[in-house]
């Protein structure tokens, strides 16, 4: 089946600069034409656009990630409503919405791409629809992605069934419910039926099983750290890689907390010492919440080592400099750039493990992501530190989250203690 729909809302960077109203469409001729073609059957489609745009402007201004999450869900919802239900959103019934969540759970293959693509591409100065874009993208493991690059074989989404996970469905319900709350407040709809639909949904299972947290084993972490140290000893350009992996793992950091953002630039001044001589790092975490993370003595060696390297290549180095800096150029680094550095560390460790006979452990390392370092550090420390201290350093709003993620989910230990039970 041919996919002839069009994306509606651009990236956060572009969207935030656009005016409210139909003039937004002037920069997107394909989207404008798509909407114009639907207007005869859906005269109030323009109202849908304006309400959706206003919602995203209001709810998505907190952060780029928040905007992106809402944008994805609202855009899918609009496209389904207009082209499949053939209704504007203010005329959808509860039965329509139930059918929408059925659709979401297993979207048609024509709506699914093999990977994530930009919505628009600039052609001759105009932002045109990217023909590769689809509302859904196949979730392919990191190791499978690598294999694809090696074999140059890209999966055909038309031959693979795509089904949203329970967690993904929760996000869908939450986003559409927030949207309906907003529309109701604005008088565009007469209530929010989503909570009632969610309560009866067969796609949201309660309780269920625990998912093992993704982290490095002790052997894998030892190899990653050791390989980084060897690389840095041989070539100073790897000092940054060594510092980064040690910092992310030991302080349970999200990669975004070390990256440059519009409202935060991590600098060396954010390392500070209190009146008792305790070391801390100030970071901006999820939800724009600032927190201080305790810095253990064992990490000070890696901090000092990287500082000395920075001073050696930049005599003007000051406390106002970015914590992780570009080797070439000026300024801090983006999350993507930081992930690439960590990936290089994983790749080096993988080759070393494989060459020394650790085939299974090295294979598992191929699937590792930067976020695994955060989980690795927290999982190691959870048994030796108070839960409240762990929650504060991790940036969790409650100890319940920490308990849920790092204690209840620790199925390895649970299985080990369960094996010796008697019949």
């Amino acid at each position: 089946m041919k996919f002839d729909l069009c994306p509606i809302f651009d990236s956060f960077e572009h969207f935030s600069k656009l005016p409210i109203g139909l003039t937004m469409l002037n920069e997107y001729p394909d989207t404008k034409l798509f909407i114009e073609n639907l207007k005869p059957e859906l005269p109030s489609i323009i109202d849908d656009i304006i309400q959706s745009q206003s919602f995203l402007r209001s709810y998505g201004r907190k952060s780029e990630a928040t905007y992106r999450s809402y944008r994805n869900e609202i855009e899918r919802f609009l496209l389904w409503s207009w082209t499949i239900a053939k209704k504007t959103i203010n005329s959808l019934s509860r039965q329509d919405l139930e059918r929408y969540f059925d659709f979401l759970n297993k979207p048609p293959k024509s709506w699914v791409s093999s990977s994530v693509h930009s919505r628009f591409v600039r052609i001759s100065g105009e932002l045109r629809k990217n023909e590769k874009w689809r509302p859904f993208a196949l979730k392919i493991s990191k190791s499978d992605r690598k294999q694809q690059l090696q074999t140059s074989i890209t999966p055909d989404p038309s031959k693979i069934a795509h089904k949203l996970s329970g967690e993904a469905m929760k996000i869908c319900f939450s986003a559409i419910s927030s949207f309906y709350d907003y529309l109701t407040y604005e008088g565009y709809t007469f209530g929010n039926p989503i909570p009632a639909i969610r309560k009866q949904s067969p796609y949201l299972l309660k309780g269920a099983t625990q998912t093992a947290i993704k982290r490095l084993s002790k052997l894998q972490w030892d190899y990653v750290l050791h390989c980084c140290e060897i690389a840095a000893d041989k070539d100073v350009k790897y000092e940054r890689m060594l510092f980064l992996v040690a910092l992310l793992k030991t302080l349970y950091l999200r990669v975004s907390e070390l990256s440059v953002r519009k409202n935060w630039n991590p600098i060396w001044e954010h390392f500070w010492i209190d009146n008792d001589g305790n070391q801390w790092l100030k970071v901006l975490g999820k939800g724009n919440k600032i927190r201080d993370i305790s810095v253990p003595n064992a990490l000070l060696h890696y901090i000092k080592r990287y500082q000395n390297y920075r001073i050696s290549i930049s005599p003007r180095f000051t406390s106002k400099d970015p914590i992780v800096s570009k080797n070439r150029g000026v300024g801090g680094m983006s999350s993507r750039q930081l992930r690439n550095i960590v990936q290089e560390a994983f790749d080096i460790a993988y080759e070393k493990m494989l060459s020394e006979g650790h085939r299974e452990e090295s294979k598992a390392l191929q699937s590792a992501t930067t976020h695994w370092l955060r989980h690795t550090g927290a999982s190691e420390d959870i048994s030796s530190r108070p839960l409240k201290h762990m929650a504060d350093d991790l940036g969790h709003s409650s100890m319940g989250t920490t308990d849920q993620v790092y204690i209840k989910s620790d199925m390895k230990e649970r299985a080990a203690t369960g094996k010796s039970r008697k019949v």
Side-chain angles (χ1 to χ4, degrees), residues 285-333:
K286 289 177 70 174
N288 285 330
K289 294 178 181 177
I290 294 176
R291 74 181 189 278
D292 292 302
I293 305 171
S294 60
V295 178
N297 293 333
L299 185 63
L300 299 181
H301 161 71
Y302 296 96
I303 295 174
K304 189 64 177 175
R305 176 170 175 161
Y306 185 59
Q307 276 184 326
N308 290 338
Y309 163 70
R310 290 283 297 277
I311 292 170
S312 71
I313 63 171
S314 178
R316 295 182 179 179
F317 173 79
T318 71
S319 62
K320 300 292 185 182
D321 280 16
I323 292 178
V324 185
S325 180
K326 298 172 183 174
N327 282 346
R328 295 178 181 177
V330 179
M333 307 187 75

Side-chain angles (χ1 to χ4, degrees), residues 329-347:
V330 179
M333 307 187 75
S334 67
S335 291
R336 178 176 292 182
Q337 290 170 322
L338 295 174
R339 288 192 187 97
N340 288 340
I341 295 171
V342 174
Q343 183 58 55
E344 185 176 6
F346 288 163
D347 290 343

Side-chain angles (χ1 to χ4, degrees), residues 414-423:
R414 182 176 161 192
T417 60
K419 285 181 179 179
S420 59
R421 289 178 295 175
K422 304 293 184 183
V423 175

Side-chain angles (χ1 to χ4, degrees), residues 108-365:
K109 293 174 182 178
S110 61
W111 283 53
V112 183
S113 67
S114 60
S115 60
V116 177
H117 296 284
S118 299
R119 282 162 166 71
F120 301 95
V121 291
R122 191 170 289 280
I123 300 175
S124 301
E126 292 185 314
L127 288 166
R128 309 306 298 259
K129 168 189 173 183
N130 184 352
E131 296 296 339
K132 294 181 179 180
W133 175 83
R134 297 292 184 273
F136 299 88
L138 290 176
K139 189 172 183 180
I140 300 173
S141 70
K142 194 174 174 183
S143 56
D144 288 342
R145 286 276 182 206
K146 285 184 178 179
Q147 189 173 5
Q148 289 170 22
L149 291 173
Q150 293 169 356
T151 60
S152 299
I153 298 175
T154 302
D156 183 355
S158 66
K159 298 179 180 178
I160 303 175
H162 181 74
K163 187 178 177 69
L164 292 191
S165 67
E167 285 301 313
M169 288 299 294
K170 283 182 183 179
I171 293 171
C172 297
F173 273 102
S174 178
I176 301 302
S177 183
S178 295
F179 188 37
Y180 263 84
D181 281 340
Y182 177 85
L183 296 176
T184 302
Y185 182 81
E186 293 295 316
Y188 194 62
T189 57
F190 293 104
N192 180 6
I194 304 301
I197 296 172
R198 176 177 179 150
K199 192 174 182 180
Q200 303 300 326
S201 173
Y203 307 120
L204 303 179
L205 303 179
K206 296 181 180 179
T209 60
Q210 294 288 343
T211 302
I213 54 176
K214 295 178 179 180
R215 67 189 188 200
L216 302 180
S217 67
K218 186 179 185 307
L219 181 65
Q220 289 168 338
W221 168 245
D222 287 345
Y223 264 88
V224 169
L225 184 62
H226 183 58
C227 286
C228 287
E229 288 176 333
I230 292 174
D233 288 341
K234 290 181 178 179
D235 190 335
V236 293
K237 74 177 184 180
Y238 291 109
E239 290 289 349
R240 183 178 60 183
M241 182 174 72
L242 171 61
F243 171 70
L244 180 59
V245 297
L247 199 65
L248 287 168
K249 186 262 186 184
T250 310
L251 299 188
Y252 329 135
L253 293 171
R254 303 177 181 93
V255 69
S256 61
E257 292 167 349
L258 287 178
S259 66
V260 174
R261 287 165 283 173
K262 287 185 177 180
N263 59 339
W264 189 260
N265 184 18
I267 57 177
W268 283 95
E269 194 175 75
H270 293 154
F271 281 106
W272 63 281
I273 303 175
D274 65 21
N275 293 333
D276 296 318
N278 301 307
Q279 304 253 6
W280 303 87
L281 173 63
K282 190 180 299 294
V283 299
L284 180 68
K286 289 177 70 174
N288 285 330
K289 294 178 181 177
I290 294 176
R291 74 181 189 278
D292 292 302
I293 305 171
S294 60
V295 178
N297 293 333
L299 185 63
L300 299 181
H301 161 71
Y302 296 96
I303 295 174
K304 189 64 177 175
R305 176 170 175 161
Y306 185 59
Q307 276 184 326
N308 290 338
Y309 163 70
R310 290 283 297 277
I311 292 170
S312 71
I313 63 171
S314 178
R316 295 182 179 179
F317 173 79
T318 71
S319 62
K320 300 292 185 182
D321 280 16
I323 292 178
V324 185
S325 180
K326 298 172 183 174
N327 282 346
R328 295 178 181 177
V330 179
M333 307 187 75
S334 67
S335 291
R336 178 176 292 182
Q337 290 170 322
L338 295 174
R339 288 192 187 97
N340 288 340
I341 295 171
V342 174
Q343 183 58 55
E344 185 176 6
F346 288 163
D347 290 343
I348 294 172
Y350 164 76
E351 295 294 341
K352 181 74 170 173
M353 293 185 79
L354 191 62
S355 68
E356 296 185 358
H358 301 288
R359 190 173 187 82
E360 288 304 314
E361 289 272 7
S362 65
K363 186 177 180 181
L365 188 58

Side-chain angles (χ1 to χ4, degrees), residues 35-51:
I35 300 298
E36 290 292 336
N37 289 338
L38 289 171
K39 274 178 69 176
E41 291 185 19
L42 303 170
S44 60
I45 191 173
I46 301 303
D47 295 327
D48 278 7
I49 290 280
I50 293 174
Q51 291 292 340

